[in-house]
Amino acid sequence: MLILPSYDFFSTYSGTGYLLDRLEEQGVDFYVLMRTEKRNVAEYASSKHKMKFFSWWKPQWPFLLRRCSNLAFSIYAFCHLLFAKKVLVLDSMYLSEVALVRRLRKNLQVIQFCQELQIVSDYPNNRFAKIYSRHARQADLVLDVDPFRAEKRKEICNLEKLPLVLRNTIPLSAVVPSAEKSLLELARVESFAGLPVVLYAGGIGAEKPFSRLVYAIAAMNTPVYFLAFCATTPSLFEEAQQYAAEKLKPGTFIIRPRVARDDILAVQSQADVGIVDYPYSLEQTWNQKFCAPTKLYEYMAAGLAVVGSDNDSLRAVVEDNHAGSCARSDRVESLAIALDEVTSSRDTLVAMKANAAKAFRDQYAYELCCYPVIDQLVAFINEA
C-alpha cells in the first residue's frame, strides 16, 4: 500500500506516526512517499517504516521554483499511483492525482485520513479546499479525527458512509512523567509562588491571539501562575512578552519560547490547568467549531484540568467527563469565568484533575479509542 502524507508528519503533533506504527504492528505492507527537505531525510530514514523521498524542495525557495518542485513531485506521485493497488492519502493534497489515476484504473482502492475539514464555503481562496470539494467522494473509506467533524463531513460532502473516527489522541506510553526533570527547570523560574499553575503550550498568531489568554488571566478573580511556551515568530514572541508584562502582576507569569515536545510531556503533570483556545469567532469555519486537538489529550493524559473555548468538540470531552470547564461564548470574559470555575476551589481543581486523568486512561488513550478503528481499517485493507 502506498501512503501519501501532505506534510512532514514527524515534526507535527498529528497522529500519522502512531497510525503507521500500528499498521506495521498489524502486518500491513506499506511504504511512504515523502516530500521533505534534505535536512529532514536522515530523521525520516531512521524510522522503522519503508520510505521513499523526494527532497528537491524548500519552503524558502522563490514562488516559481516551488511551483516547479510541486509539479515534479505530483508527476512522481502519479507514477507511483499508477502501479499501486491501494493508497492512503492524508488530507486532500494529492486527491487530484488520485482522481486522474482512477480514470485510468478503476481498481485503485483509496483511503483518506482527514485531519482538517477545509471546504470552499469556509476557505474560498484555499487551493486544497477547492481540490477537496471536487474530489471528496473519491475515497472508498474515510477517517476523521472528531465525531462532530465526521458527521458534518458526511453531510456537507454527501458521503455514503459516516467516516471512521481516529481521534487526535496519544498512546499511554507517550506520557511518562520524569523523576529527574521539573517544570520549574523547564520554565527557568525558582517558584510558582504557591499558586495553581495554568499552562499554555502551543502556537500563537492570527488564529490563536495570545492577547486573549493574557486578558482572560488578568480578568480572573482567582490568583494563578500563568506559564506559556509559545511557538511563534521572534517578533510575535516579543510582543507576547510585552503584553503579558503590561497586564499581569509581576511574579505570577512567565512566557517562554517553544520547547521540545518530549520535554514538556515529561513535566507538564506538575502544572494544574491546561488551556485549549480555538475561538470560533476568529475563524468562523466548521474546522474551527469542531476541533479537539492533540493538546487536549496531552493535558488530560498528564492529569491537568482543561479549560477550553466555546467549542462543541472540546465541551463533549472536557465537561461530559467533569475534567474542566469550557467558555460559554467567545468573549474573553467567558474564558476567564471558566478558568475561575476550575481554580477557585482547591477541592474542585483536584477532582477535575483526577477526572481528566481517569477519562484519558479509560476512554481516550490511543490504544483504547484508536486501535479498534485501525482494526477496521486493516480489515478493509485486507479485503480490498
Side-chain angles (χ1 to χ4, degrees):
M1 182 171 71
L2 168 63
I3 296 181
L4 278 173
S6 53
Y7 43 78
D8 285 357
F9 59 84
F10 279 6
S11 62
T12 70
Y13 291 142
S14 80
T16 306
Y18 300 139
L19 172 60
L20 298 191
D21 289 344
R22 185 57 178 171
L23 288 177
E24 188 154 288
E25 289 172 4
Q26 295 291 82
V28 176
D29 184 19
F30 67 85
Y31 71 96
V32 182
L33 189 61
M34 190 76 209
R35 185 186 73 167
T36 188
E37 296 182 68
K38 285 185 177 180
R39 62 190 177 95
N40 295 332
V41 168
E43 178 185 10
Y44 282 101
S46 66
S47 79
K48 61 184 179 182
H49 308 305
K50 288 184 285 187
M51 308 192 76
K52 296 184 179 181
F53 299 100
F54 180 91
S55 56
W56 187 65
W57 178 80
K58 283 187 177 181
Q60 302 89 355
W61 280 355
F63 173 77
L64 186 58
L65 192 57
R66 281 187 283 118
R67 289 298 298 268
C68 291
S69 174
N70 291 342
L71 178 60
F73 184 75
S74 292
I75 295 171
Y76 186 55
F78 179 80
C79 292
H80 281 264
L81 284 165
L82 278 174
F83 298 98
K85 294 180 179 179
K86 309 176 186 73
V87 60
L88 170 60
V89 184
L90 280 85
D91 288 310
S92 57
M93 186 175 289
Y94 303 111
L95 280 183
S96 294
E97 290 82 354
V98 166
L100 182 56
V101 169
R102 286 196 116 178
R103 290 183 182 180
L104 304 174
R105 286 182 49 222
K106 300 294 184 182
N107 62 339
L108 176 64
Q109 297 291 323
V110 181
I111 302 162
Q112 186 182 15
F113 182 19
C114 302
Q115 299 191 349
E116 304 290 341
L117 178 53
Q118 293 182 333
I119 55 176
V120 171
S121 59
D122 286 342
Y123 302 93
N125 300 316
N126 186 300
R127 180 167 68 94
F128 300 119
K130 295 176 182 177
I131 291 173
Y132 183 63
S133 295
R134 287 197 300 269
H135 303 299
R137 290 169 59 85
Q138 284 291 330
D140 300 293
L141 180 69
V142 179
L143 303 171
D144 213 315
V145 294
D146 178 78
F148 289 94
R149 195 180 281 184
E151 292 176 4
K152 182 56 65 174
R153 187 183 304 278
K154 181 178 184 297
E155 174 191 330
I156 292 173
C157 301
N158 196 26
L159 302 180
E160 292 183 6
K161 297 180 180 179
L162 185 68
L164 299 179
V165 176
L166 198 66
R167 290 181 184 267
N168 267 327
T169 186
I170 62 174
L172 288 163
S173 58
V175 181
V176 181
S178 172
E180 300 175 355
K181 301 178 182 179
S182 75
L183 189 59
L184 284 170
E185 291 175 5
L186 196 64
R188 303 198 303 277
V189 294
E190 293 184 0
S191 79
F192 295 128
L195 300 172
V197 177
V198 176
L199 173 67
Y200 177 78
I204 60 175
E207 296 177 6
K208 301 176 184 178
F210 191 71
S211 58
R212 272 181 56 87
L213 305 182
V214 172
Y215 189 94
I217 297 293
M220 290 178 64
N221 293 318
T222 309
V224 297
Y225 193 101
F226 180 48
L227 170 60
F229 295 101
C230 302
T232 188
T233 63
S235 60
L236 286 179
F237 179 75
E238 185 176 348
E239 288 180 16
Q241 286 185 310
Q242 292 175 351
Y243 192 78
E246 293 172 3
K247 300 295 182 181
L248 302 179
K249 182 180 177 181
T252 64
F253 72 93
I254 193 71
I255 315 300
R256 295 299 187 199
R258 179 181 181 176
V259 295
R261 184 188 181 210
D262 288 346
D263 289 343
I264 187 68
L265 288 179
V267 297
Q268 67 181 8
S269 61
Q270 298 167 30
D272 296 288
V273 181
I275 300 182
V276 182
D277 187 39
Y278 283 81
Y280 178 71
S281 59
L282 294 181
E283 184 189 295
Q284 296 183 16
T285 65
W286 294 114
N287 200 45
Q288 187 86 342
K289 184 173 179 62
F290 300 134
C291 179
T294 304
K295 187 57 62 180
L296 164 67
Y297 301 106
E298 289 179 348
Y299 287 152
M300 294 176 70
L304 303 190
V306 178
V307 169
S309 47
D310 183 23
N311 176 298
D312 293 8
S313 299
L314 290 176
R315 184 169 288 110
V317 175
V318 174
E319 295 194 342
D320 287 1
N321 291 287
H322 307 288
S325 182
C326 291
R328 289 295 177 267
S329 76
D330 272 355
R331 291 176 59 84
V332 176
E333 293 83 358
S334 185
L335 189 62
I337 290 171
L339 282 161
D340 273 323
E341 288 175 353
V342 172
T343 57
S344 59
S345 164
R346 185 64 192 174
D347 290 343
T348 298
L349 177 58
V350 169
M352 286 182 171
K353 292 176 65 175
N355 291 340
K358 185 177 187 302
F360 178 80
R361 290 194 309 270
D362 295 349
Q363 300 178 57
Y364 299 115
Y366 197 89
E367 295 88 340
L368 294 176
C369 65
C370 294
Y371 278 13
V373 178
I374 297 174
D375 288 343
Q376 294 181 62
L377 171 60
V378 171
F380 176 83
I381 292 170
N382 291 336
E383 290 172 3

PDB file of all heavy atoms in Angstrom, residues 195-217:
ATOM      1  N   LEU A 195       0.968  29.176  43.768  1.00  0.00           N
ATOM      2  CA  LEU A 195      -0.317  29.358  43.083  1.00  0.00           C
ATOM      3  C   LEU A 195      -0.605  28.191  42.140  1.00  0.00           C
ATOM      4  O   LEU A 195       0.320  27.511  41.684  1.00  0.00           O
ATOM      5  CB  LEU A 195      -0.308  30.665  42.278  1.00  0.00           C
ATOM      6  CG  LEU A 195      -0.086  31.944  43.070  1.00  0.00           C
ATOM      7  CD1 LEU A 195       0.087  33.135  42.119  1.00  0.00           C
ATOM      8  CD2 LEU A 195      -1.255  32.189  44.022  1.00  0.00           C
ATOM      9  N   PRO A 196      -1.881  27.954  41.817  1.00  0.00           N
ATOM     10  CA  PRO A 196      -2.200  26.970  40.773  1.00  0.00           C
ATOM     11  C   PRO A 196      -1.542  27.394  39.455  1.00  0.00           C
ATOM     12  O   PRO A 196      -1.581  28.566  39.084  1.00  0.00           O
ATOM     13  CB  PRO A 196      -3.734  27.032  40.671  1.00  0.00           C
ATOM     14  CG  PRO A 196      -4.191  27.642  41.957  1.00  0.00           C
ATOM     15  CD  PRO A 196      -3.102  28.574  42.392  1.00  0.00           C
ATOM     16  N   VAL A 197      -0.939  26.451  38.757  1.00  0.00           N
ATOM     17  CA  VAL A 197      -0.235  26.756  37.521  1.00  0.00           C
ATOM     18  C   VAL A 197      -1.153  26.505  36.328  1.00  0.00           C
ATOM     19  O   VAL A 197      -1.615  25.375  36.110  1.00  0.00           O
ATOM     20  CB  VAL A 197       1.047  25.915  37.378  1.00  0.00           C
ATOM     21  CG1 VAL A 197       1.732  26.208  36.047  1.00  0.00           C
ATOM     22  CG2 VAL A 197       1.992  26.205  38.546  1.00  0.00           C
ATOM     23  N   VAL A 198      -1.411  27.559  35.565  1.00  0.00           N
ATOM     24  CA  VAL A 198      -2.197  27.464  34.338  1.00  0.00           C
ATOM     25  C   VAL A 198      -1.214  27.439  33.172  1.00  0.00           C
ATOM     26  O   VAL A 198      -0.443  28.389  32.976  1.00  0.00           O
ATOM     27  CB  VAL A 198      -3.177  28.650  34.200  1.00  0.00           C
ATOM     28  CG1 VAL A 198      -3.904  28.587  32.862  1.00  0.00           C
ATOM     29  CG2 VAL A 198      -4.166  28.650  35.357  1.00  0.00           C
ATOM     30  N   LEU A 199      -1.248  26.374  32.405  1.00  0.00           N
ATOM     31  CA  LEU A 199      -0.259  26.138  31.350  1.00  0.00           C
ATOM     32  C   LEU A 199      -0.868  26.334  29.968  1.00  0.00           C
ATOM     33  O   LEU A 199      -1.965  25.857  29.684  1.00  0.00           O
ATOM     34  CB  LEU A 199       0.281  24.710  31.469  1.00  0.00           C
ATOM     35  CG  LEU A 199       1.215  24.209  30.360  1.00  0.00           C
ATOM     36  CD1 LEU A 199       2.529  24.974  30.383  1.00  0.00           C
ATOM     37  CD2 LEU A 199       1.454  22.711  30.507  1.00  0.00           C
ATOM     38  N   TYR A 200      -0.139  27.044  29.121  1.00  0.00           N
ATOM     39  CA  TYR A 200      -0.455  27.075  27.696  1.00  0.00           C
ATOM     40  C   TYR A 200       0.804  26.676  26.941  1.00  0.00           C
ATOM     41  O   TYR A 200       1.859  27.294  27.102  1.00  0.00           O
ATOM     42  CB  TYR A 200      -0.910  28.455  27.228  1.00  0.00           C
ATOM     43  CG  TYR A 200      -1.163  28.477  25.734  1.00  0.00           C
ATOM     44  CD1 TYR A 200      -2.335  27.946  25.215  1.00  0.00           C
ATOM     45  CD2 TYR A 200      -0.215  28.981  24.842  1.00  0.00           C
ATOM     46  CE1 TYR A 200      -2.564  27.918  23.847  1.00  0.00           C
ATOM     47  CE2 TYR A 200      -0.434  28.952  23.475  1.00  0.00           C
ATOM     48  CZ  TYR A 200      -1.609  28.415  22.984  1.00  0.00           C
ATOM     49  OH  TYR A 200      -1.831  28.388  21.627  1.00  0.00           O
ATOM     50  N   ALA A 201       0.695  25.651  26.104  1.00  0.00           N
ATOM     51  CA  ALA A 201       1.824  25.214  25.287  1.00  0.00           C
ATOM     52  C   ALA A 201       1.324  25.044  23.866  1.00  0.00           C
ATOM     53  O   ALA A 201       0.567  24.122  23.573  1.00  0.00           O
ATOM     54  CB  ALA A 201       2.394  23.902  25.818  1.00  0.00           C
ATOM     55  N   GLY A 202       1.698  25.975  22.991  1.00  0.00           N
ATOM     56  CA  GLY A 202       1.210  25.896  21.616  1.00  0.00           C
ATOM     57  C   GLY A 202       1.545  27.136  20.821  1.00  0.00           C
ATOM     58  O   GLY A 202       2.289  28.006  21.265  1.00  0.00           O
ATOM     59  N   GLY A 203       0.953  27.208  19.645  1.00  0.00           N
ATOM     60  CA  GLY A 203       1.213  28.321  18.752  1.00  0.00           C
ATOM     61  C   GLY A 203       0.433  29.561  19.120  1.00  0.00           C
ATOM     62  O   GLY A 203      -0.604  29.509  19.783  1.00  0.00           O
ATOM     63  N   ILE A 204       0.946  30.708  18.711  1.00  0.00           N
ATOM     64  CA  ILE A 204       0.213  31.965  18.839  1.00  0.00           C
ATOM     65  C   ILE A 204       0.329  32.689  17.498  1.00  0.00           C
ATOM     66  O   ILE A 204       1.300  32.554  16.772  1.00  0.00           O
ATOM     67  CB  ILE A 204       0.735  32.851  19.987  1.00  0.00           C
ATOM     68  CG1 ILE A 204       2.212  33.210  19.786  1.00  0.00           C
ATOM     69  CG2 ILE A 204       0.524  32.168  21.324  1.00  0.00           C
ATOM     70  CD1 ILE A 204       2.739  34.180  20.834  1.00  0.00           C
ATOM     71  N   GLY A 205      -0.710  33.445  17.180  1.00  0.00           N
ATOM     72  CA  GLY A 205      -0.746  34.146  15.892  1.00  0.00           C
ATOM     73  C   GLY A 205      -2.150  34.641  15.622  1.00  0.00           C
ATOM     74  O   GLY A 205      -2.957  34.812  16.548  1.00  0.00           O
ATOM     75  N   ALA A 206      -2.467  34.852  14.359  1.00  0.00           N
ATOM     76  CA  ALA A 206      -3.753  35.421  13.989  1.00  0.00           C
ATOM     77  C   ALA A 206      -4.917  34.543  14.431  1.00  0.00           C
ATOM     78  O   ALA A 206      -5.948  35.039  14.901  1.00  0.00           O
ATOM     79  CB  ALA A 206      -3.800  35.640  12.477  1.00  0.00           C
ATOM     80  N   GLU A 207      -4.781  33.208  14.284  1.00  0.00           N
ATOM     81  CA  GLU A 207      -5.857  32.297  14.663  1.00  0.00           C
ATOM     82  C   GLU A 207      -5.852  31.993  16.157  1.00  0.00           C
ATOM     83  O   GLU A 207      -6.845  31.497  16.692  1.00  0.00           O
ATOM     84  CB  GLU A 207      -5.737  30.985  13.875  1.00  0.00           C
ATOM     85  CG  GLU A 207      -5.912  31.170  12.369  1.00  0.00           C
ATOM     86  CD  GLU A 207      -5.709  29.867  11.623  1.00  0.00           C
ATOM     87  OE1 GLU A 207      -5.550  28.816  12.284  1.00  0.00           O
ATOM     88  OE2 GLU A 207      -5.697  29.893  10.379  1.00  0.00           O
ATOM     89  N   LYS A 208      -4.739  32.249  16.816  1.00  0.00           N
ATOM     90  CA  LYS A 208      -4.610  31.991  18.252  1.00  0.00           C
ATOM     91  C   LYS A 208      -3.972  33.201  18.913  1.00  0.00           C
ATOM     92  O   LYS A 208      -2.805  33.170  19.316  1.00  0.00           O
ATOM     93  CB  LYS A 208      -3.763  30.744  18.500  1.00  0.00           C
ATOM     94  CG  LYS A 208      -4.293  29.474  17.866  1.00  0.00           C
ATOM     95  CD  LYS A 208      -3.320  28.334  18.094  1.00  0.00           C
ATOM     96  CE  LYS A 208      -3.765  27.070  17.391  1.00  0.00           C
ATOM     97  NZ  LYS A 208      -2.790  25.968  17.564  1.00  0.00           N
ATOM     98  N   PRO A 209      -4.718  34.293  19.045  1.00  0.00           N
ATOM     99  CA  PRO A 209      -4.122  35.514  19.609  1.00  0.00           C
ATOM    100  C   PRO A 209      -3.776  35.355  21.080  1.00  0.00           C
ATOM    101  O   PRO A 209      -4.620  34.994  21.894  1.00  0.00           O
ATOM    102  CB  PRO A 209      -5.219  36.562  19.395  1.00  0.00           C
ATOM    103  CG  PRO A 209      -6.484  35.797  19.260  1.00  0.00           C
ATOM    104  CD  PRO A 209      -6.125  34.488  18.635  1.00  0.00           C
ATOM    105  N   PHE A 210      -2.525  35.625  21.391  1.00  0.00           N
ATOM    106  CA  PHE A 210      -2.053  35.474  22.765  1.00  0.00           C
ATOM    107  C   PHE A 210      -2.708  36.485  23.692  1.00  0.00           C
ATOM    108  O   PHE A 210      -2.873  36.231  24.886  1.00  0.00           O
ATOM    109  CB  PHE A 210      -0.532  35.635  22.787  1.00  0.00           C
ATOM    110  CG  PHE A 210       0.096  35.244  24.091  1.00  0.00           C
ATOM    111  CD1 PHE A 210       0.155  33.928  24.484  1.00  0.00           C
ATOM    112  CD2 PHE A 210       0.638  36.216  24.925  1.00  0.00           C
ATOM    113  CE1 PHE A 210       0.742  33.571  25.687  1.00  0.00           C
ATOM    114  CE2 PHE A 210       1.226  35.861  26.124  1.00  0.00           C
ATOM    115  CZ  PHE A 210       1.276  34.538  26.515  1.00  0.00           C
ATOM    116  N   SER A 211      -3.105  37.615  23.148  1.00  0.00           N
ATOM    117  CA  SER A 211      -3.740  38.652  23.971  1.00  0.00           C
ATOM    118  C   SER A 211      -5.011  38.136  24.641  1.00  0.00           C
ATOM    119  O   SER A 211      -5.350  38.552  25.759  1.00  0.00           O
ATOM    120  CB  SER A 211      -4.062  39.881  23.125  1.00  0.00           C
ATOM    121  OG  SER A 211      -4.903  39.536  22.035  1.00  0.00           O
ATOM    122  N   ARG A 212      -5.727  37.215  23.983  1.00  0.00           N
ATOM    123  CA  ARG A 212      -6.930  36.632  24.593  1.00  0.00           C
ATOM    124  C   ARG A 212      -6.593  35.915  25.892  1.00  0.00           C
ATOM    125  O   ARG A 212      -7.291  36.059  26.901  1.00  0.00           O
ATOM    126  CB  ARG A 212      -7.571  35.630  23.626  1.00  0.00           C
ATOM    127  CG  ARG A 212      -8.570  36.196  22.654  1.00  0.00           C
ATOM    128  CD  ARG A 212      -9.118  35.093  21.785  1.00  0.00           C
ATOM    129  NE  ARG A 212      -9.701  34.001  22.536  1.00  0.00           N
ATOM    130  CZ  ARG A 212     -10.958  33.947  22.958  1.00  0.00           C
ATOM    131  NH1 ARG A 212     -11.786  34.960  22.706  1.00  0.00           N
ATOM    132  NH2 ARG A 212     -11.417  32.901  23.620  1.00  0.00           N
ATOM    133  N   LEU A 213      -5.535  35.134  25.855  1.00  0.00           N
ATOM    134  CA  LEU A 213      -5.160  34.364  27.040  1.00  0.00           C
ATOM    135  C   LEU A 213      -4.721  35.276  28.172  1.00  0.00           C
ATOM    136  O   LEU A 213      -5.104  35.082  29.333  1.00  0.00           O
ATOM    137  CB  LEU A 213      -4.043  33.376  26.690  1.00  0.00           C
ATOM    138  CG  LEU A 213      -4.315  32.408  25.532  1.00  0.00           C
ATOM    139  CD1 LEU A 213      -3.131  31.473  25.346  1.00  0.00           C
ATOM    140  CD2 LEU A 213      -5.583  31.616  25.780  1.00  0.00           C
ATOM    141  N   VAL A 214      -3.909  36.268  27.831  1.00  0.00           N
ATOM    142  CA  VAL A 214      -3.425  37.199  28.855  1.00  0.00           C
ATOM    143  C   VAL A 214      -4.590  37.972  29.466  1.00  0.00           C
ATOM    144  O   VAL A 214      -4.675  38.121  30.696  1.00  0.00           O
ATOM    145  CB  VAL A 214      -2.383  38.163  28.258  1.00  0.00           C
ATOM    146  CG1 VAL A 214      -2.016  39.250  29.264  1.00  0.00           C
ATOM    147  CG2 VAL A 214      -1.135  37.409  27.828  1.00  0.00           C
ATOM    148  N   TYR A 215      -5.480  38.437  28.620  1.00  0.00           N
ATOM    149  CA  TYR A 215      -6.636  39.200  29.126  1.00  0.00           C
ATOM    150  C   TYR A 215      -7.499  38.320  30.027  1.00  0.00           C
ATOM    151  O   TYR A 215      -7.997  38.775  31.069  1.00  0.00           O
ATOM    152  CB  TYR A 215      -7.461  39.744  27.965  1.00  0.00           C
ATOM    153  CG  TYR A 215      -8.539  40.708  28.390  1.00  0.00           C
ATOM    154  CD1 TYR A 215      -8.316  42.081  28.393  1.00  0.00           C
ATOM    155  CD2 TYR A 215      -9.781  40.243  28.813  1.00  0.00           C
ATOM    156  CE1 TYR A 215      -9.294  42.962  28.811  1.00  0.00           C
ATOM    157  CE2 TYR A 215     -10.773  41.127  29.220  1.00  0.00           C
ATOM    158  CZ  TYR A 215     -10.527  42.477  29.221  1.00  0.00           C
ATOM    159  OH  TYR A 215     -11.507  43.352  29.634  1.00  0.00           O
ATOM    160  N   ALA A 216      -7.696  37.058  29.637  1.00  0.00           N
ATOM    161  CA  ALA A 216      -8.508  36.152  30.449  1.00  0.00           C
ATOM    162  C   ALA A 216      -7.870  35.925  31.815  1.00  0.00           C
ATOM    163  O   ALA A 216      -8.559  35.929  32.847  1.00  0.00           O
ATOM    164  CB  ALA A 216      -8.692  34.826  29.719  1.00  0.00           C
ATOM    165  N   ILE A 217      -6.557  35.724  31.845  1.00  0.00           N
ATOM    166  CA  ILE A 217      -5.860  35.536  33.115  1.00  0.00           C
ATOM    167  C   ILE A 217      -5.984  36.794  33.978  1.00  0.00           C
ATOM    168  O   ILE A 217      -6.240  36.726  35.191  1.00  0.00           O
ATOM    169  CB  ILE A 217      -4.372  35.201  32.872  1.00  0.00           C
ATOM    170  CG1 ILE A 217      -4.221  33.878  32.129  1.00  0.00           C
ATOM    171  CG2 ILE A 217      -3.601  35.182  34.196  1.00  0.00           C
ATOM    172  CD1 ILE A 217      -4.633  32.657  32.898  1.00  0.00           C
TER     173      ILE A 217
END
